[in-house]
Every structure is written in C-alpha cells, then in structure tokens.
C-alpha cells in the first residue's frame, strides 16, 4: 500500500467557506475543500497555503491546525492510504479562480450550512464543522483584534 500525505485548508472569509467544484471530462466529481500533495522539503503548513492558492487563487493565512483525515482508495498503481492535514485559514477577500488544470470548474465562498451540504465527502464535512467551531471560539474571545500572529504561524 502506498502512503500519501496531503494538506489543505478550510478557508473562511466573512464567515463563508471556500469550496471547489470538480468536473472531470463532463463527469460530476463533487464539491471539495482545497488540498494537495506535500512536495519534497515542504512543511505541511506551507503545502496547505500553496495548494489553496494554486487550486483556488485565494490568498489565505493559516490561523490554526484543525486535524487530519485518513482514507484509502484504489489508484492506478494499487491501493493508496491518504492522510490529509487540515488548517483553518482566513482569506483576504472573496476572490477565487478555479484551477482548470486540476479539473476544477467552479469555486466560491458559501455560508456554513450551504458548504456543509454541498461537500461530497463526510470527512470534509466534519473538518468544516470543527474548523467553524474553532473560528467561532477565536472570534468569541476577540482573538482577531491582533492578526500579526497569522503571518508567523508557518
């Protein structure tokens, strides 16, 4: 079994979450959170920021590590076990541009309940829920009054 590590982000701007719609060769693939494979020499947090920007065009800073998900699937070269590390991130605007090279046909920011129901995978719905709980707690404590910590997270 091949082990693969990816990293991604629950990107929030003004309480809305960024989702990507994947449509490969006219085949519905579903709405997902941005994520991708760790490159050699890259820290997980760096991968998350890079993948969010590559897949969506969104500029976002990491707020906090949310957790990881794991799943297995059959790839072209046999069984794959994938671990995805997730980060709560804040975007600087609603701007997004789906990466067509990865077959993303649409992207956008959605209210929590919309995003939750649009997401294709249950593990991503649970990460979204956990990220929003963290985001709400941080906002409740007025932690966002000083955003300088965001630049030095990774």
């Amino acid at each position: 079994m091949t082990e693969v590590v990816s990293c991604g982000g629950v990107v929030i701007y003004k309480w809305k979450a960024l989702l990507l719609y994947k449509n490969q060769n006219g085949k519905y693939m579903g709405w997902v959170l941005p994520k991708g494979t760790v490159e050699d020499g890259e820290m997980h947090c760096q991968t998350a920021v890079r993948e969010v920007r590559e897949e969506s065009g969104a500029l976002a800073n990491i707020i906090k590590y949310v957790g990881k998900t794991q799943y297995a699937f059959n790839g072209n070269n046999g069984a794959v076990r994938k671990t995805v590390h997730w980060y709560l991130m804040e975007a600087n605007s609603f701007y997004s541009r789906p990466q067509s090279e990865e077959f993303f046909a649409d992207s956008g920011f959605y209210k929590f309940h919309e995003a939750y129901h649009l997401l294709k995978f249950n593990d991503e719905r649970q990460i979204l829920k956990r990220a929003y709980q963290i985001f709400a707690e941080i906002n409740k404590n007025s932690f966002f009054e000083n955003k300088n910590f965001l630049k030095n997270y990774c």
Side-chain angles (χ1 to χ4, degrees), residues 80-152:
V80 177
R81 179 183 165 107
K82 188 170 202 170
T83 301
V84 183
H85 295 275
W86 295 99
Y87 294 85
L88 170 59
M89 302 170 78
E90 183 181 39
N92 65 354
S93 74
F94 283 122
Y95 175 79
S96 68
R97 171 195 37 80
Q99 183 185 34
S100 59
E101 297 84 6
E102 292 288 330
F103 303 103
F104 292 116
D106 197 3
S107 64
F109 285 82
Y110 295 88
K111 293 177 184 176
F112 171 79
H113 68 279
E114 295 168 330
Y116 187 87
H117 292 291
L118 282 171
L119 283 171
K120 180 176 182 178
F121 301 108
N122 186 53
D123 60 341
E124 291 192 8
R125 285 191 293 273
Q126 297 312 309
I127 286 295
L128 177 75
K129 186 176 179 182
R130 189 176 315 155
Y132 261 84
Q133 289 169 338
I134 294 168
F135 191 72
E137 187 64 31
I138 289 171
N139 277 283
K140 184 173 104 181
N141 293 329
S142 300
F143 196 65
F144 275 89
E145 289 177 4
N146 179 4
K147 291 188 180 185
N148 290 332
F149 77 98
L150 296 174
K151 295 175 185 161
N152 298 320

Side-chain angles (χ1 to χ4, degrees), residues 7-96:
C7 301
V10 176
V11 181
I12 298 175
Y13 183 69
K14 296 192 177 185
W15 289 95
K16 293 184 177 182
L18 174 65
L19 299 185
L20 298 165
Y21 175 72
K22 197 163 198 169
N23 184 337
Q24 191 167 355
N25 301 323
K27 180 182 174 195
Y28 168 77
M29 303 294 285
W31 289 91
V32 296
L33 296 170
K35 65 182 174 297
T37 305
V38 177
E39 293 180 355
D40 288 339
E42 207 172 37
M43 293 188 306
H44 290 172
C45 55
Q46 292 171 321
T47 301
V49 171
R50 176 182 55 77
E51 286 292 341
V52 164
R53 187 169 192 181
E54 285 178 2
E55 291 188 346
S56 72
L59 299 176
N61 294 306
I62 291 177
I63 297 171
K64 189 171 183 173
Y65 181 75
V66 177
K68 67 181 179 179
T69 57
Q70 294 180 311
Y71 56 94
F73 62 94
N74 288 318
N76 294 336
N77 297 324
V80 177
R81 179 183 165 107
K82 188 170 202 170
T83 301
V84 183
H85 295 275
W86 295 99
Y87 294 85
L88 170 59
M89 302 170 78
E90 183 181 39
N92 65 354
S93 74
F94 283 122
Y95 175 79
S96 68

